[in-house]
């Protein structure tokens, strides 16, 4: 994905930062200023990273808030960590400590897919740090009627299997993940493929935390106290939108926004509408309706 141009001229390079937390070096992107903070946590599919998942949104978001877009441990340029204790909670603990290291008391936490489950774990275990919660195509719930594992989950788990990663596998995954085929450009395939093979075995170990059990966060959703916005695409073939309905039913203070003709990657597929939705929720305002077509 190319560098994002915008009012703040935010680029991948200009926003790149590192912080060391308890001996773990974390990479993140930072843009914008002010007391209100957005912490964005990306998904866990092969080739994912903070900038890769949220680079389309960071320039506009940073006009209204201080934005931190992290690389999950084992992804992007972040160190790997020991996940023997679980798939999500160790990352949640690390990001809560990262906020402390950066002098940030509270943040609106935006989590996509795997990052959504990490955000849920932060809201459960570090409630004092989570002002608001945005769950996008999130893991951590339970599918009510879609098959498990889903088509997308099978694709993710098989990416490093057999003959290993390839551009063809990456293109097939991206076409399945997003609704609009035109969004799967050669440039995007190349970027995600190269990211998926960077670091060799080190990166392979990070992909979807292979072999690490996922904590049953769904059993604790009623304990979430943060106001929560759930965002989903109805054509999501990785985490069906029945997962969103489950989250909506279990989280006490929650609202749901569904996009038609949209897959898993809502921040990219619906960039303008998604950004407006998150900013309104972050500020405590109701979402503005999308403009009517001309």
């Amino acid at each position: 994905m190319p560098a994002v141009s915008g009012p703040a001229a935010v680029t991948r390079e200009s926003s790149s930062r590192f912080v060391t937390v308890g001996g773990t070096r974390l990479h993140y992107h930072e843009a914008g200023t002010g007391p209100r903070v957005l912490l964005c946590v990306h998904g866990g599919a092969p080739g994912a990273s903070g900038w890769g998942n949220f680079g389309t949104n960071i320039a506009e978001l940073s006009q209204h808030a201080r934005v931190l877009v992290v690389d999950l441990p084992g992804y992007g340029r972040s160190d790997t960590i020991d996940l023997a204790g679980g798939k999500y909670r160790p990352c949640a603990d690390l990001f809560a400590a990262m906020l402390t290291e950066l002098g940030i008391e509270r943040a609106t936490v935006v989590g996509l897919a795997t990052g959504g489950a990490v955000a849920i774990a932060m809201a459960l275990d570090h409630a004092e740090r989570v002002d608001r919660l945005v769950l996008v195509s999130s893991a951590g719930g339970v599918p009510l009627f879609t098959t498990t594992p889903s088509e997308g989950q099978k694709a993710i788990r098989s990416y490093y299997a057999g003959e290993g990663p390839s551009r063809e596998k990456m293109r097939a995954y991206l076409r399945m993940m997003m609704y609009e085929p035109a969004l799967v450009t050669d440039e995007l395939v190349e970027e995600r493929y190269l990211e998926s093979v960077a670091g060799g075995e080190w990166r392979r170990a990070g992909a979807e935390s292979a072999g690490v059990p996922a904590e049953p966060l769904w059993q604790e959703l009623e304990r979430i106290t943060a106001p929560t916005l759930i965002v989903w695409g109805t054509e999501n073939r990785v985490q069906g939108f029945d997962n969103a309905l489950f989250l909506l039913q279990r989280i006490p203070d929650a609202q749901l926004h569904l996009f038609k003709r949209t897959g898993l990657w809502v921040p990219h597929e619906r960039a303008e509408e998604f950004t407006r939705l998150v900013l309104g929720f972050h500020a405590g305002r109701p979402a503005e309706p999308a403009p009517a077509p001309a």
Side-chain angles (χ1 to χ4, degrees):
M1 185 180 301
V4 173
S5 60
V10 180
T11 68
R12 184 194 293 261
E13 294 75 21
S14 70
S15 60
S16 178
R17 309 280 189 275
F18 286 94
V19 62
T20 299
V21 180
T24 299
R25 192 171 187 242
L26 289 175
H27 180 255
Y28 66 102
H29 297 273
E30 179 173 359
T33 59
R36 297 183 64 89
V37 177
L38 279 167
L39 173 66
C40 301
V41 188
H42 69 84
S49 67
W51 183 270
N53 277 186
F54 291 103
T56 306
N57 318 102
I58 189 170
E60 181 60 29
L61 290 174
S62 67
Q63 296 304 298
H64 306 274
R66 181 182 178 188
V67 183
L68 309 177
V69 177
V70 296
D71 282 343
L72 282 166
Y75 289 79
R77 300 170 70 186
S78 287
D79 288 349
T80 57
I81 61 172
D82 181 6
L83 294 174
K87 189 172 181 178
Y88 307 127
R89 282 192 149 111
C91 298
D93 293 344
L94 193 62
F95 293 146
M98 173 185 171
L99 292 179
T100 299
E101 186 69 24
L102 296 176
I104 298 169
E105 293 186 5
R106 296 172 66 83
T108 291
V109 183
V110 182
L112 170 66
T114 295
V118 173
I120 289 172
M122 287 186 70
L124 290 170
D125 299 344
H126 305 278
E128 73 284 356
R129 313 311 300 270
V130 180
D131 185 42
R132 288 172 174 263
L133 185 63
V134 181
L135 303 176
V136 189
S137 305
S138 179
V142 173
L144 298 175
F145 47 79
T146 55
T147 303
T148 302
S150 69
E151 177 186 3
Q153 289 165 343
K154 290 178 182 178
I156 290 170
R157 294 171 187 176
S158 65
Y159 182 77
Y160 288 102
E163 297 180 357
S166 69
R167 291 172 175 84
E168 291 73 22
K169 280 186 177 181
M170 181 57 71
R171 186 180 298 276
Y173 171 69
L174 292 172
R175 283 181 171 170
M176 182 275 306
M177 180 181 68
M178 293 189 285
Y179 175 77
E180 177 52 63
L183 291 175
V184 184
T185 62
D186 291 344
E187 181 182 30
L188 178 60
V189 171
E190 186 69 7
E191 177 185 323
R192 289 283 298 240
Y193 168 72
L194 292 177
E195 186 68 33
S196 77
V197 297
E201 292 300 318
W202 170 80
R203 175 57 45 79
R204 186 185 297 249
E208 265 298 279
S209 311
V212 178
E215 304 93 315
L217 300 176
W218 63 270
Q219 297 177 355
E220 304 177 62
L221 295 174
E222 291 87 349
R223 294 202 297 109
I224 294 177
T225 57
T228 302
L229 172 64
I230 302 164
V231 184
W232 231 269
T234 59
E235 279 65 58
N236 187 334
R237 293 155 66 185
V238 182
Q239 300 278 0
F241 74 89
D242 50 330
N243 288 268
L245 301 178
F246 182 88
L247 295 173
L248 179 68
Q249 195 276 332
R250 293 296 184 96
I251 298 173
D253 184 2
Q255 56 183 287
L256 171 62
H257 192 103
L258 287 174
F259 287 99
K260 289 287 287 183
R261 298 182 294 279
T262 305
L264 178 142
W265 196 1
V266 183
H268 185 68
E269 296 179 70
R270 296 282 190 161
E272 184 177 343
E273 296 156 289
F274 173 79
T275 300
R276 183 172 61 247
L277 190 64
V278 169
L279 287 174
F281 181 72
H282 176 60
R285 301 191 307 268
E288 298 178 7

